[in-house]
Amino acid sequence: MLETINLSKNFKDKKVVDGIDMYLEQGESVGLLGPNGAGKSTTISMISSLLKPTSGDIKLGGKSIVRNPSEIRDVIGVVPQEIALYEELSAYENLKFFGEIYKVKKGVLENRIQEVLEMVGLKERQKELIKTFSGGMKRRINIAAALMHKPQVLILDEPTVGIDPQSRNRILETVRELNESHGTTVLYTSHYMEEVEQLCNRVYIMDHGKVIASGSKTELLSILSSELTVQVQLSETSDHIIDTIRLLDHVRHVEETNEGIRIISKRDANILSAIVLAAEKEGIQVTHYQMETPSLEDVFLHLTGKTLRD
Amino acid sequence: MLSFLKKDLLVFWRDRKEILVALLLPIVLIVVLNFAFSGFLNGETDSIHLNVALVQDDNESLGFEKFEERVHDLDISTSDKESILKKAQLLSPTELLNTFFSDPELEEFISIQKLEAQEATNLVEKGDLDALINIPEGFTYSVLSSMLLDETTDKELIIEIKEESTEAGALQSMVSNYLNTLNFQFALGQVSGTAMSEPNLPQGGREVIDGVDPYTMADYFTFAIGTLFALFTASTLTAKTVTEKRERVFHRIMLTNSKPFDFLMGKVISTFGLTWIQLIITLVATHLLLDIFSGETSEYLLGIFIVITAFSIAVAGLAALFTPITLRLNDPDLSNGIFMIVIMVMGVIGGNFFPIDFLPEWIKKVGEWTPNGLTQTTLLKWVQYSSPTDLLVPIILLVSFFMICLFIGLFLFPKRGRM
């Protein structure tokens, strides 16, 4: 339905997006992951026609929309990272304004406003000014405004940043409902891996302006099929023991966490005994250990060398 | 477009602080400044008071006789001689000067007493009088031969002053103004060939021309402050665009396939409407408080109405220009700063802060090319004399200003894909 072909964007001499190939099938929910500065927002701006690509193409239903962007504006809804609403207007007035400029017909506008308010759970608060809303409520209206014209594709740019768990769950529910019940195609970027895992059928991972991995969750996890994650707790921790573990055969990554030491190594049955031996040599005991199944977070870390919130 | 207009008006309406500033501040300023400077233009103050002696050394009848002899000696036709003598009979320089100084309005700040030369000089020396005006011997003959025969005069009114002061300067200026007007009125009579009636002399220190009413300080401040604050309205509404850009609402709007023209026209029409309402409220409130339109005709009020409507259109043009500049500049503070400077400069050269009559001619000319300066000048002229044809050119200029700004605004409006 929507695809980008070798999409690139330069700002002066800096290449911010570098030859991205992506596609979204109709009714699919796709995640776009990447650390800050990876080029996600620039990619979204190009897909939504706010930015002109330096090179490459964007196609909607097989037709290029770079030269004729008005077509894509009719079918996409964009939820920006910022609260793009009029603070001095009420929720209802904001939705009415955006409904009118999206050219929703007068006869259906009122119903549509009530529908989207119902969807985001703020029907009872529609007369209140946006500036009186909590951050979570503002984000819900931010989504509602993008839904006024019943978009076929919904692009959400980190829609849950800095909000309370209740609003976050409501937003995730809304997005899921739109995707599953209304058949809306979703492109979702987030810093929260669990949101992407929960909502998306497929994921693109971006870093330094490039897509470095893509596929379904299973496909991405298979990247780590040759790896093993072990979480250990020691009787005492020092930089020396961490360095010692890091130097063990097959160990790929070691980091200290709140729960102890997290070790990613090549899948090897002997890694645990190697850790125990190394610790004993230093007079330290392993008090607890846990073998973990790799998550998308691990995949991300493996691919980019950073966590999502870096 | 209507959606944008409704939105812009609602956003402005909800900002009560801005509304109070836009509507109340100009009225407060007009009233305060009017009271602070009252009398500056129309002599409403009693701070100036002069005690002046008028010394009559001239014998008017002798002067007339001498003039008659001079006319008879001239090598002109008898009918011309009769005509000149007839005019001379109407023109009594010393009598006109007496009439001038006994004007009730002038009497409020100049007390004239007729004294002998010696006594008057003594009183001025002692400081009991501020000045003396001496009508020298031969004055009547000299004035008549100067005005009617175009001969060089060697007799002038002599003003003796104990100390140089603003008041004494004002007196000199008044007397000089009186003589100039007398000459002017007489020259007019000569040119038109009509029989000269009693000259229309300066009154109360201000020049009065037929059909021209003087404007008051209240008139000046009403139009100056009113037009200045109208300019600020353009800046205030443009500042809302800063928020729209910062909070990405503008990007969201651009994603709706809305035309930039609609967005811009929303700003333009709302600026026009708010400026117009602001000016109407300012004028009505000023009238209620300072009685500026008392006794004026409906034609006069219609003229005011038309000029402020044209000016509101010009201010809307400024909003059309400021909006795309705001959208193009990345720093909202920079755009606000630039607009504020532009408005302040327009205010200064347009004469909104102080009358610019004393500034060099070229600055006055430039000032009249600003919409505020042009409007202010037009309104003040309209107050003085009502000639509807005089409104036509300023209205065309104000509407042209709007059109030029709108075209530039549309040209500068950021294109999608380059934001």
Side-chain angles (χ1 to χ4, degrees):
Chain A
M1 182 191 192
L2 181 66
E3 60 179 325
T4 70
I5 301 154
N6 202 21
L7 194 66
S8 298
K9 182 71 189 175
N10 295 359
F11 288 120
K12 292 182 181 167
D13 293 334
K14 197 181 175 198
K15 203 156 214 171
V16 179
V17 174
D18 189 3
I20 282 187
D21 293 314
M22 278 173 65
Y23 71 93
L24 278 85
E25 296 291 355
Q26 190 158 4
E28 225 186 352
S29 178
V30 175
L32 183 58
L33 290 173
N36 285 331
K40 303 186 300 286
S41 293
T42 307
T43 304
I44 285 176
S45 292
M46 285 191 284
I47 293 174
S48 58
S49 81
L50 274 176
L51 269 180
K52 209 169 186 174
T54 307
S55 62
D57 204 355
I58 303 161
K59 287 187 174 177
L60 178 71
K63 276 171 67 183
S64 172
I65 51 142
V66 173
R67 283 196 187 83
N68 186 16
S70 63
E71 276 185 37
I72 199 164
R73 290 187 204 122
D74 289 335
V75 298
I76 62 159
V78 179
V79 181
Q81 215 175 101
E82 299 81 6
I83 308 291
L85 299 168
Y86 288 99
E87 294 263 322
E88 300 86 354
L89 303 189
S90 68
Y92 174 86
E93 287 162 345
N94 266 285
L95 295 179
K96 189 165 185 226
F97 168 67
F98 284 110
E100 282 172 352
I101 62 171
Y102 267 123
K103 297 183 179 61
V104 177
K105 288 191 177 116
K106 272 189 178 170
V108 294
L109 180 60
E110 194 57 40
N111 280 345
R112 186 61 188 158
I113 294 171
Q114 299 310 320
E115 256 175 46
V116 295
L117 281 166
E118 183 81 59
M119 244 183 251
V120 297
L122 288 170
K123 202 172 177 178
E124 308 305 316
R125 313 286 297 267
Q126 59 180 293
K127 298 289 176 198
E128 293 173 31
L129 301 186
I130 294 295
K131 65 182 174 191
T132 64
F133 280 9
S134 69
M137 286 157 72
K138 285 178 185 175
R139 290 222 167 258
R140 280 145 74 181
I141 296 295
N142 207 28
I143 293 174
L147 299 174
M148 283 304 298
H149 61 306
K150 290 193 178 173
Q152 293 172 39
V153 181
L154 183 65
I155 301 176
L156 302 103
D157 192 2
E158 310 211 10
T160 58
V161 170
I163 59 171
D164 58 285
Q166 193 192 347
S167 287
R168 191 175 169 199
N169 288 338
R170 181 80 209 197
I171 287 172
L172 294 179
E173 267 317 302
T174 306
V175 176
R176 194 201 309 277
E177 192 192 327
L178 282 165
N179 179 238
E180 291 176 359
S181 311
H182 299 261
T184 308
T185 308
V186 172
L187 178 60
Y188 191 96
T189 79
S190 176
H191 269 138
Y192 300 102
M193 187 65 79
E194 60 275 22
E195 290 179 2
V196 176
E197 285 193 66
Q198 208 177 319
L199 288 174
C200 302
N201 317 114
R202 284 193 305 118
V203 177
Y204 285 91
I205 297 177
M206 281 185 79
D207 196 22
H208 299 297
K210 291 183 176 174
V211 170
I212 53 171
S214 66
S216 65
K217 185 180 168 184
T218 321
E219 285 167 340
L220 287 173
L221 288 176
S222 72
I223 293 172
L224 296 184
S225 61
S226 60
E227 293 186 347
L228 178 73
T229 304
V230 186
Q231 183 83 38
V232 295
Q233 285 176 4
L234 303 174
S235 56
E236 59 180 283
T237 313
S238 67
D239 289 344
H240 186 255
I241 185 66
I242 289 171
D243 288 340
T244 305
I245 294 171
R246 193 170 280 137
L247 291 171
L248 290 173
D249 283 347
H250 311 306
V251 170
R252 287 182 175 160
H253 183 82
V254 180
E255 66 173 335
E256 205 172 350
T257 67
N258 289 339
E259 288 81 32
I261 298 169
R262 194 157 183 262
I263 302 140
I264 300 173
S265 78
K266 197 173 169 190
R267 192 171 284 278
D268 188 315
N270 296 324
I271 188 64
L272 191 59
S273 54
I275 293 167
V276 172
L277 278 172
E280 275 179 357
K281 272 188 188 169
E282 302 289 330
I284 297 168
Q285 287 186 335
V286 174
T287 55
H288 177 82
Y289 75 91
Q290 191 179 341
M291 311 290 272
E292 287 182 358
T293 313
S295 66
L296 278 180
E297 187 90 43
D298 297 320
V299 175
F300 190 86
L301 187 68
H302 171 81
L303 292 168
T304 67
K306 326 169 213 193
T307 64
L308 259 177
R309 286 166 198 81
D310 277 349
Chain B
M1 193 194 299
L2 197 64
S3 308
F4 286 102
L5 177 61
K6 277 193 297 185
K7 174 265 297 177
D8 283 324
L9 290 174
L10 251 182
V11 168
F12 187 77
W13 174 245
R14 294 271 162 79
D15 194 342
R16 298 297 152 91
K17 199 171 71 186
E18 291 283 6
I19 292 215
L20 281 178
V21 169
L23 297 183
L24 281 186
L25 197 55
I27 297 167
V28 171
L29 271 176
I30 290 165
V31 173
V32 169
L33 288 171
N34 179 62
F35 281 118
F37 291 93
S38 63
F40 184 74
L41 278 184
N42 48 349
E44 287 161 4
T45 178
D46 57 1
S47 60
I48 296 175
H49 194 90
L50 288 167
N51 290 307
V52 179
L54 189 65
V55 177
Q56 173 84 348
D57 284 342
D58 182 46
N59 186 325
E60 200 174 52
S61 52
L62 274 178
F64 271 119
E65 279 171 24
K66 194 178 170 191
F67 180 72
E68 208 172 335
E69 283 168 20
R70 174 80 185 100
V71 171
H72 284 304
D73 289 345
L74 289 173
D75 187 19
I76 54 173
S77 66
T78 314
S79 62
D80 283 347
K81 288 177 184 172
E82 282 172 5
S83 167
I84 291 170
L85 290 172
K86 201 173 167 188
K87 284 173 186 169
Q89 278 163 8
L90 282 170
L91 195 65
S92 165
T94 51
E95 189 53 39
L96 287 174
L97 196 61
N98 283 325
T99 311
F100 171 59
F101 282 118
S102 56
D103 180 272
E105 206 176 322
L106 200 61
E107 275 183 334
E108 282 180 20
F109 60 100
I110 296 184
S111 299
I112 293 276
Q113 35 184 311
K114 289 179 182 173
L115 296 172
E116 290 302 317
Q118 190 56 49
E119 188 186 358
T121 308
N122 290 341
L123 288 170
V124 169
E125 286 295 319
K126 280 200 287 183
D128 292 342
L129 289 175
D130 298 302
L132 74 80
I133 298 170
N134 182 271
I135 303 173
E137 190 183 346
F139 181 73
T140 300
Y141 171 78
S142 185
V143 170
L144 290 175
S145 56
S146 162
M147 291 173 75
L148 298 172
L149 306 179
D150 207 19
E151 290 180 349
T152 316
T153 176
D154 57 349
K155 300 287 181 187
E156 288 182 342
L157 288 178
I158 299 160
I159 300 173
E160 284 182 25
I161 302 157
K162 172 86 170 135
E163 282 173 10
E164 283 294 338
S165 64
T166 311
E167 289 87 343
L171 180 68
Q172 279 179 318
S173 168
M174 263 182 256
V175 172
S176 158
N177 189 28
Y178 156 77
L179 290 173
N180 288 338
T181 308
L182 197 64
N183 273 318
F184 177 69
Q185 289 288 333
F186 194 79
L188 280 180
Q190 293 274 59
V191 171
S192 64
T194 55
M196 204 182 87
S197 59
E198 194 171 318
N200 195 353
L201 292 173
Q203 272 180 10
R206 295 196 62 194
E207 191 171 348
V208 177
I209 301 168
D210 277 341
V212 177
D213 293 325
Y215 65 82
T216 63
M217 209 58 181
D219 292 330
Y220 168 74
F221 280 125
T222 302
F223 300 139
I225 302 291
T227 50
L228 179 68
F229 273 78
L231 295 181
F232 285 129
T233 302
S235 168
T236 304
L237 277 161
T238 309
K240 303 282 177 199
T241 312
V242 172
T243 317
E244 284 176 311
K245 189 189 176 192
R246 190 179 54 227
E247 292 169 6
R248 302 297 173 113
V249 186
F250 176 67
H251 282 181
R252 173 166 254 170
I253 290 168
M254 289 297 101
L255 287 174
T256 64
N257 262 338
S258 298
K259 292 180 194 128
F261 181 76
D262 290 346
F263 179 84
L264 200 57
M265 285 312 282
K267 302 280 173 211
V268 166
I269 298 173
S270 56
T271 304
F272 164 76
L274 291 168
T275 305
W276 192 84
I277 291 168
Q278 183 193 35
L279 283 166
I280 291 287
I281 290 175
T282 303
L283 293 180
V284 170
T286 315
H287 172 65
L288 293 174
L289 294 166
L290 301 174
D291 202 22
I292 57 167
F293 298 130
S294 182
E296 298 294 357
T297 61
S298 54
E299 190 196 18
Y300 170 87
L301 295 174
L302 182 66
I304 300 269
F305 179 85
I306 290 170
V307 174
I308 64 161
T309 303
F311 176 62
S312 303
I313 292 172
V315 174
L318 274 183
L321 190 61
F322 287 171
T323 301
I325 293 173
T326 303
L327 291 169
R328 275 179 173 264
L329 290 175
N330 287 325
D331 184 352
D333 294 332
L334 178 66
S335 55
N336 280 340
I338 290 172
F339 302 148
M340 199 48 73
I341 290 169
V342 169
I343 289 171
M344 295 305 257
V345 169
M346 285 170 77
V348 170
I349 62 173
N352 291 109
F353 293 101
F354 47 82
I356 53 169
D357 293 339
F358 63 90
L359 292 179
E361 195 61 29
W362 69 269
I363 294 184
K364 283 197 278 181
K365 287 284 171 206
V366 173
E368 282 182 21
W369 279 97
T370 61
N372 48 313
L374 177 64
T375 304
Q376 192 181 304
T377 309
T378 308
L379 288 171
L380 289 175
K381 278 183 186 165
W382 184 247
V383 169
Q384 294 175 83
Y385 52 92
S386 307
S387 172
T389 49
D390 290 338
L391 299 183
L392 195 62
V393 172
I395 287 167
I396 290 170
L397 287 174
L398 288 168
V399 174
S400 304
F401 177 85
F402 164 76
M403 296 301 287
I404 292 166
C405 287
L406 183 64
F407 282 127
I408 297 173
L410 282 170
F411 178 75
L412 291 177
F413 202 90
K415 310 288 178 289
R416 288 188 186 90
R418 291 179 207 165
M419 292 175 194

